[in-house]
Amino acid sequence: MGVPRKPNHARRQLGRTLRKLRERARMSQDEVAREMHFSKAKVSRLELGQLPNRYELMALLDLYGVIVSDYTPYLEMLERAQERGWWHIYGLDDRGYVPLEDEACLVREFQLGYIPGLLQTEAYMRAGFNDLREQERADNDVAVRLHRQRRLTEEPTLRLHAILDETVLRRPVLPPAEQRAQLEHLIAVTALPTVTVQVIPLAFGAHNGRSGTFVILSYPDPKDPDIAYLEHGFGAWQTEKESQVRAARLAFEHLADLALDEPDSIALIRRVIAET
C-alpha cells in the first residue's frame, strides 16, 4: 500500500495557519486540547488539514487571542477549504494529485516513462488509459486530463517546466501517424509562454534521473512550501519536508543543466519525428 495522501492545499494552508496561531499564543497541543475539550489527536489533525466547523474555528481564534474584528480572513480561508473543486464532478476526492496541481502556479516534472499529462494529445491519453481501465472510466480520466491542460492557457495560468528522457519520445505508444502527431503537439505547446520542454539525449548515457519520474509543485504564496510528488506502481508518495523537497529541487536543477536547451530539444524532437 502507498503512503496515505494528504488533504488538499487549501485545507493544509488552514491547518498551517492554526498551528502558527497556536505557536504565537505559546500554547502546546495538550493545552489547546484541554481548553477546547478536544483530544490532542484532534488538535493535531486540525493542524494537518482536517477542517474544523465554523464554531470550532471561532473558538480556536478566541483562544489564540485573535480579536473578533479580525476573524474574517480566517473564516474566508475556511470557506475556501470547504469549496468543492471541479474534480468532484469526475468522482475524484481532495486527497490526490489533481487538487495539489490545481492550486499550484509552477510544476517542474521529470519524466522517464511517458509524455507529461499536461502535454499529451487525447489519442496518447487513451492509449495509456484504455489498456488499464473500462471504457467509461477511461473517458472520465481523459476528461480530467483535458480539463487540467486548460491551466496552461487560462487564468490563473500554470507554468510547466518538463524535462524528458529521450526514451520517452521514442517509446511507440501509438501507431506511427498518431505518434508523430503527439510529438508535433509537444513542439507546438513550447510556443506557449507557460511551457518549457527540455530533452536529455540518449547519447548522454547514464544520469541521475534514471531512478525515476518525479514532480515538484510550487504555490503562489511564498510562505506555502513546495511539494515533491511521485507515483509508483503501488500508489503515490508526497512530501513537504524541506530536506526532501530541497533534494528534489537540486536533482531537477541538475537534470535541467544536463538536458539540451529548448531550441536544441525541439530539434531533437523533430529528428525523432522524421525517424518515426
Side-chain angles (χ1 to χ4, degrees):
M1 295 180 63
V3 176
R5 290 173 288 186
K6 299 177 183 178
N8 70 9
H9 180 74
R11 295 185 180 203
R12 291 182 296 106
Q13 187 177 47
L14 178 59
R16 287 194 298 271
T17 298
L18 290 175
R19 176 178 56 79
K20 290 175 183 177
L21 288 173
R22 174 179 59 78
E23 292 173 347
R24 190 179 69 183
R26 298 180 182 275
M27 298 184 72
S28 68
Q29 289 187 344
D30 285 320
E31 290 170 327
V32 173
R34 284 197 301 271
E35 292 290 334
M36 292 291 297
H37 302 286
F38 290 165
S39 66
K40 181 182 177 181
K42 178 169 180 175
V43 177
S44 178
R45 290 196 300 270
L46 291 173
E47 294 184 359
L48 290 172
Q50 177 178 298
L51 291 183
N53 62 44
R54 187 179 180 87
Y55 299 106
E56 288 174 337
L57 177 57
M58 289 191 292
L60 285 166
L61 294 174
D62 180 63
L63 180 63
Y64 296 152
V66 179
I67 60 176
V68 174
S69 59
D70 290 341
Y71 281 8
T72 299
Y74 302 102
L75 295 174
E76 290 175 346
M77 193 178 296
L78 175 62
E79 290 173 2
R80 287 195 300 273
Q82 290 172 329
E83 290 175 357
R84 289 173 62 84
W86 59 264
W87 49 88
H88 282 266
I89 65 173
Y90 296 101
L92 302 180
D93 62 27
D94 293 327
R95 294 174 295 167
Y97 175 80
V98 171
L100 295 175
E101 183 187 85
D102 193 69
E103 296 277 356
C105 62
L106 169 65
V107 172
R108 284 166 283 186
E109 180 169 356
F110 170 69
Q111 268 295 344
L112 197 61
Y114 51 84
I115 290 171
L118 290 171
L119 304 179
Q120 292 176 5
T121 62
E122 184 171 340
Y124 193 97
M125 295 176 200
R126 290 192 179 280
F129 289 144
N130 287 341
D131 288 345
L132 303 174
R133 297 163 170 81
E134 297 176 356
Q135 184 62 47
E136 184 176 351
R137 185 180 172 194
D139 290 344
N140 189 74
D141 290 340
V142 166
V144 170
R145 191 160 289 181
L146 291 172
H147 194 291
R148 288 171 52 209
Q149 291 182 351
R150 288 159 53 179
R151 286 283 314 281
L152 297 176
T153 55
E154 297 179 3
E155 294 291 342
T157 53
L158 176 68
R159 290 183 295 127
L160 171 66
H161 183 175
I163 302 174
L164 315 180
D165 189 88
E166 185 181 343
T167 54
V168 172
L169 307 177
R170 295 190 176 279
R171 184 165 291 110
V173 174
L174 295 164
E178 291 182 334
Q179 184 81 3
R180 288 192 294 271
Q182 168 62 83
L183 297 178
E184 291 284 3
H185 176 72
L186 187 59
I187 293 172
V189 292
T190 63
L192 294 174
T194 52
V195 176
T196 300
V197 174
Q198 293 182 266
V199 179
I200 300 177
L202 284 171
F204 283 12
H207 58 77
N208 291 345
R210 292 179 303 155
S211 57
T213 290
F214 64 95
V215 176
I216 305 167
L217 300 131
S218 299
Y219 295 90
D221 188 340
K223 295 178 183 177
D224 291 335
D226 288 355
I227 294 174
Y229 183 95
L230 61 88
E231 292 184 345
H232 50 81
F234 306 102
W237 176 86
Q238 69 186 63
T239 182
E240 296 177 7
K241 189 174 180 180
E242 176 55 30
S243 61
Q244 295 172 326
V245 174
R246 187 187 312 113
R249 282 195 297 261
L250 289 172
F252 190 88
E253 290 168 5
H254 170 74
L255 292 168
D257 288 340
L258 180 66
L260 300 175
D261 62 19
E262 191 165 71
D264 287 342
S265 295
I266 291 171
L268 174 55
I269 297 169
R270 292 197 186 282
R271 290 198 295 275
V272 175
I273 292 171
E275 297 167 11
T276 300

